[in-house]
Amino acid sequence: MAGRSPDELTLVVVTKYHPASLVRELAALGVTDVGENRHQEAQAKAAELADLPLTWHFVGQLQSKKARQARRYAHVVQSLDRDSVVDAFAPTAAEPEPPVIDGFVQVNLTDDPGRGGVRPDAVEAMVERVLGTGTIRLRGVMAVAPLDEEPRAAFARLRGISERVVSLAPAATDISAGMSGDYAEAIAAGATHLRIGTAITGKRPDAP
């Protein structure tokens, strides 16, 4: 699709509200990357499935006070969007050598300041802050397409932002974009990570 090789893409299966048993079934089918966006649920599932070689991605809004806890199970945090969250991963007197995690700066592609993500004009400052921690390996940028805009146009803007990030951090070439309804447009725009839920897992259960 779009001239891209499947090898260029990482499929992150988002399993919000689904039981750990489903994640185990997915792992048996070859799924290696799992996404969660609620800390307590993610923490419990990761503990229950600790025997599996899974890479856990935290893809939801993360409270700074939960960040250090999330570091214990999350290999990747895709929602770095506030100074307080980034700073929570930095070394402290109590934990001078914390584990290094992979991270994505989340970009807000809407005009709504209440949405998760950094404003496009503040991305460089956030990148510098992430790089300054020494404990976050910056992978690239992440975004959700706005509901009132063509995904292709939104992802094209994200691609441009990604190029700005790479000028500061040459290794941060990844782009996490695309969900069940717009993954084709994301792939065409250069996404490297797709966050797919219902298209794989079926209808999401009601919140517990």
Side-chain angles (χ1 to χ4, degrees), residues 74-121:
H75 304 96
V76 188
V77 174
Q78 293 204 18
S79 48
L80 300 173
D81 67 348
R82 299 188 309 286
D83 290 350
S84 60
V85 171
V86 172
D87 293 348
F89 290 103
T92 64
E95 196 175 13
E97 295 185 6
V100 176
I101 62 161
D102 286 353
F104 288 73
V105 169
Q106 182 176 355
V107 183
N108 183 356
L109 297 177
T110 77
D111 295 324
D112 179 0
R115 291 286 296 271
V118 181
R119 297 189 324 273
D121 63 0

Side-chain angles (χ1 to χ4, degrees), residues 12-24 26 33-47 49 54-62 70 73-79 106 142 194-197 201 204-205 208:
V12 180
V13 181
V14 180
T15 56
K16 179 180 180 180
Y17 298 153
H18 287 284
S21 58
L22 176 65
V23 180
R24 191 172 290 279
L26 291 168
D33 292 72
V34 179
E36 291 287 339
N37 59 2
R38 296 171 71 248
H39 167 64
Q40 283 186 298
E41 182 180 355
Q43 182 174 244
K45 283 184 190 173
L49 301 170
L54 294 170
T55 298
W56 291 90
H57 297 247
F58 195 87
V59 300
Q61 296 309 115
L62 185 60
Y73 62 83
H75 304 96
V76 188
V77 174
Q78 293 204 18
S79 48
Q106 182 176 355
M142 181 272 254
L194 307 174
R195 309 181 307 277
I196 310 294
T201 63
R204 180 180 295 160

